[in-house]
Amino acid sequence: MSEEAATVTHIDLALVDECIERFFVVSSARARRFGRPSEELWRVLRRASMGGKRFRPRMVLTAYSGLGGTDAHAAANVAAAYELLHTALVVHDDVIDRDWSRRGEPNVAGSFRDTGTTGGLALPTAEHRGMSAAVIAGDLALAATTRFVEASGVTGDRRTRLLEILDDAVFASAAGEMTDVDLALGVMPSVDEVLAMERAKTSVYSFEAPLQSGAVLAGASDQVVEALGAFGREIGIAYQIVDDLLGVYGDETVTGKSVLGDLREGKRTMLIAYAATTDCWDDIAPYLGDPDLTEERATELRATLETCGARSAAESRIAEHAALARAELSALPYELADRLEHLVSELLERVR
């Protein structure tokens, strides 16, 4: 992204943070009327919403400013809706995965579990408290998303369309999450089934919907909104494959993500789905999903995934979807297309 574009986004992101902070200040004040448990819930949820890269708001603002939008108040509120949606889905995802931490720190469930054990609760009871709090907190964040669209001040057909896009994103993500749960329990899915799940679960709300929302807010034509949705779909799929690739082969000091986690979990990624179709699978399957997998054994698994062609197949699909995303840029105004071209280049640079 150019220096000028980055500056504009930086200013707008500060406004997004202000919208989110104002929301939590008001909500925390409301919580005091209901006592300590409610206050604690909002305090922990507020912390969970902080410190992110604001990636989804960036997508909203990139599309909006790239199409000539100038209403900073409206843009910041719509962008904030997608950040709170991300918070909600992450909190719920941790419950589904039975995770107690995120990025090395207690998540919402972990925070309430820990304060429960500190207060003298037996561990099973404290864990139930933690999971219950996370479900409630995620629900609160999810409910807040439409309030931000309302706060944008947009009316008429644009307001209706923004709410439809947001609702479609929530619907798709729920479908993808449920599919993810079932894929982990049944027979090994195909590569296309894995990518379809990841697109629904993450790509729609992270790329397609935010980009389209920014375009609708800017008053763009249906053609531009459609092209941005197609771009978001393809770059979102590529992004998910990159993320899964880095989950096995990445540099933890750069990504902040363990390169043992996905292997120990036995996560159904494109790498694994592809490997399951090869003659190397018998050398991989016994160790995949082992919570005590050693670094030495993981190194062997990585080598086998390369030998069987899984890594090169993933890299080829990344390039394929990136090319399809780039093909959609011709339907967009030059300034916006240029910004999105930088996004594609940055994505491909992550796997070089």
Side-chain angles (χ1 to χ4, degrees), residues 54 81 161 187 231 244:
R54 303 298 193 238
R161 186 70 182 110
V187 299
F231 171 87
D244 290 339

Side-chain angles (χ1 to χ4, degrees), residues 312-336:
S312 62
E315 291 171 346
S316 294
R317 286 297 290 264
I318 292 167
E320 175 188 333
H321 288 287
L324 289 170
R326 279 178 163 140
E328 299 294 337
L329 298 181
S330 61
L332 303 177
Y334 172 79
E335 182 178 354
L336 177 56

Side-chain angles (χ1 to χ4, degrees), residues 115-135:
T115 55
T117 55
T118 301
L121 294 178
L123 183 59
T125 303
E127 288 184 342
H128 176 70
R129 178 179 189 259
M131 289 297 183
S132 300
V135 169

Side-chain angles (χ1 to χ4, degrees), residues 81-89 92 138-139 141-146 149 162-178 199-206 208-210 213:
Y82 284 95
E83 186 62 27
L84 262 293
L85 175 58
H86 176 58
T87 297
L89 296 178
H92 282 162
D139 288 348
L142 187 61
T145 59
T146 55
V149 175
L162 288 170
L163 290 172
E164 287 174 346
I165 293 171
L166 181 61
D167 181 68
D168 285 345
V170 174
F171 201 91
S173 186
E177 187 73 80
M178 192 65 238
R199 182 230 163 184
K201 178 180 174 180
T202 304
S203 299
V204 173
Y205 92 87
S206 297
E208 297 173 49
S213 293

Side-chain angles (χ1 to χ4, degrees), residues 25-292:
V25 168
V26 172
S27 297
S28 297
R30 293 174 64 191
R32 294 190 194 105
R33 292 182 294 157
F34 297 94
R36 183 192 59 77
S38 181
E39 287 186 85
E40 183 182 2
L41 188 68
W42 279 99
R43 183 170 61 253
V44 174
L45 179 59
R46 182 183 195 173
R47 189 174 70 236
S49 74
M50 298 169 62
K53 297 178 181 178
R54 303 298 193 238
F55 180 80
R56 291 143 196 91
R58 285 179 185 274
M59 293 298 97
V60 175
L61 300 176
T62 295
Y64 182 68
S65 60
L67 291 166
T70 59
D71 187 339
H73 170 80
N77 275 281
V78 173
Y82 284 95
E83 186 62 27
L84 262 293
L85 175 58
H86 176 58
T87 297
L89 296 178
V90 165
V91 171
H92 282 162
D93 194 53
D94 284 348
V95 172
I96 292 168
D97 292 341
R98 300 177 187 177
D99 286 335
W100 302 101
S101 64
R102 181 164 285 269
R103 297 187 181 89
E105 298 291 334
N107 56 18
V108 173
S111 295
F112 277 86
R113 179 200 62 179
D114 293 349
T115 55
T117 55
T118 301
L121 294 178
L123 183 59
T125 303
E127 288 184 342
H128 176 70
R129 178 179 189 259
M131 289 297 183
S132 300
V135 169
I136 298 167
D139 288 348
L140 288 171
L142 187 61
T145 59
T146 55
R147 292 179 58 189
F148 278 103
V149 175
E150 298 287 355
S152 72
V154 178
T155 59
D157 290 343
R158 282 196 299 165
R159 172 184 171 278
T160 300
R161 186 70 182 110
L162 288 170
L163 290 172
E164 287 174 346
I165 293 171
L166 181 61
D167 181 68
D168 285 345
V170 174
F171 201 91
S173 186
E177 187 73 80
M178 192 65 238
T179 301
D180 192 18
V181 170
D182 276 1
L183 289 183
L185 300 175
V187 299
M188 180 62 65
S190 68
V191 166
D192 286 340
E193 286 174 328
V194 169
L195 295 184
M197 175 275 293
E198 292 185 334
R199 182 230 163 184
K201 178 180 174 180
T202 304
S203 299
V204 173
Y205 92 87
S206 297
F207 291 90
E208 297 173 49
L211 287 168
Q212 288 189 308
S213 293
V216 168
L217 190 61
S221 67
D222 290 343
Q223 179 187 12
V224 168
V225 174
E226 184 177 343
L228 277 171
F231 171 87
R233 178 182 64 248
E234 301 301 338
I235 200 63
I237 294 171
Y239 185 93
Q240 288 306 121
I241 302 173
V242 169
D243 200 48
D244 290 339
L245 201 58
L246 293 177
V248 175
Y249 293 101
D251 181 345
E252 292 185 23
T253 62
V254 176
T255 66
K257 180 178 180 179
S258 167
V259 291
L260 286 174
D262 287 356
L263 295 174
R264 285 175 171 170
E265 180 187 334
K267 185 177 179 181
R268 306 294 177 86
T269 65
M270 181 191 162
L271 279 170
I272 301 306
Y274 182 93
T277 66
T278 72
D279 293 338
C280 297
W281 184 240
D282 288 343
D283 296 324
I284 296 173
Y287 307 104
L288 193 67
D290 178 2
D292 298 316

